[in-house]
Amino acid sequence: MLATLLLAILPIVVTLGLGYWAGWRQQFPGNTSDVLIQLVMVYALPLSLFGGILTLKRRVILQNLPVAAWLAVGMLGGLIVLVILQRLGGQNLSSATLNALSIASPSVPFMGTSVLLIVFGRISVLLVALGGLYMNLIQVPVSVFLLTLVDKDATATRWQLMWRTLLVSSRQPVVWAPILAFTLNLIGFSLPTRWLTLFTEFGQAAGGVALFAIGLILAAHQLKLTWPIIRNVSLKNLGLPLIIWLGMHLMGTALLTQQLVVITLAIPTAAIPTMLAVRQQLPADDYVATQLLSTVLAPITMGVLMLGLRIV
């Protein structure tokens, strides 16, 4: 078990550390992280997902429908419940939405490609694809819609804005490539394993490049601690995964499904809340700090969860 933990966590630490070191030494221009993320999201990750899904056996996808359902409960149900709870606690709608998104949105497209692959093997491509689809096709449009509710004069346009966001998201390669691959797989088309290198030659770089880019981002910001940030990170890294784990345990869900879902939800928070805050001209410092602290603590919190889930 210790060896598995080290194999899963050390690549995160080392690659993030290299990115942080490069950023601290200012070895790259200031927009390098944006360029690397664009590279991952437009080319490397879509290629990896497309080839990986097509090489999965159809029965593997169908057998993991409970994984898709529980991930939806965590990412989509968690978002709505957290917004409601924070509104009841006195948060304004903008803060409640972005805080909930920080907790319910794991950075699966960036970190999942490396972390989940080491822990779970080829089935990780299914987790990354599902996480990315839930984020881009549901979480982001719903969050944009909720943020427009703050503007009392935007009644006529908020639905248009939500659908426009959904349309833009669906055009991204990281969205339509896995959808196309799922469709082809389920109708009977499969890719022989020997042809997988057509997609992995470049696609396998997705995880490492994404982690390096996150390291560059970490180096560009100072980490600050406030109670809301600590609360959000606690709920993101441990709270929500533990609640979903408890629900699955009480429902008698298979251990493998518990492992796949909980570790996916425990991946550090995504950059989406920061991006939406900037777009809506709202203060973004807390969401940047949440992402940084969530990423820094992830090796510890994910290690604890892996031990509890008996991942060996």
Side-chain angles (χ1 to χ4, degrees), residues 217-228:
I217 295 172
L218 288 173
H221 295 86
Q222 289 187 340
L223 183 61
K224 66 173 183 177
L225 294 179
T226 64
W227 167 242

Side-chain angles (χ1 to χ4, degrees), residues 181-197:
F182 275 128
T183 303
L184 291 173
N185 190 307
L186 292 176
I187 64 176
F189 180 83
S190 62
L191 183 72
T193 305
R194 64 179 179 273
W195 293 105
L196 183 59
T197 53

Side-chain angles (χ1 to χ4, degrees), residues 96-107:
T97 299
L98 293 175
N99 284 332
L101 194 58
S102 296
I103 297 166
S105 181
S107 186

Side-chain angles (χ1 to χ4, degrees), residues 188-263:
F189 180 83
S190 62
L191 183 72
T193 305
R194 64 179 179 273
W195 293 105
L196 183 59
T197 53
L198 290 174
F199 302 94
T200 58
E201 185 67 26
F202 187 31
Q204 63 188 356
V209 173
L211 286 172
F212 189 86
I214 293 173
L216 292 174
I217 295 172
L218 288 173
H221 295 86
Q222 289 187 340
L223 183 61
K224 66 173 183 177
L225 294 179
T226 64
W227 167 242
I229 292 170
I230 295 172
R231 179 199 62 202
N232 285 350
V233 172
S234 299
L235 289 172
K236 171 68 202 70
N237 286 31
L238 287 175
L240 182 60
L242 287 173
I243 291 171
I244 299 301
W245 184 8
L246 176 61
M248 287 190 290
H249 178 72
L250 293 177
M251 294 288 290
T253 307
L255 177 60
L256 178 59
T257 299
Q258 296 180 34
Q259 294 171 339
L260 294 170
V261 172
V262 172
I263 297 303

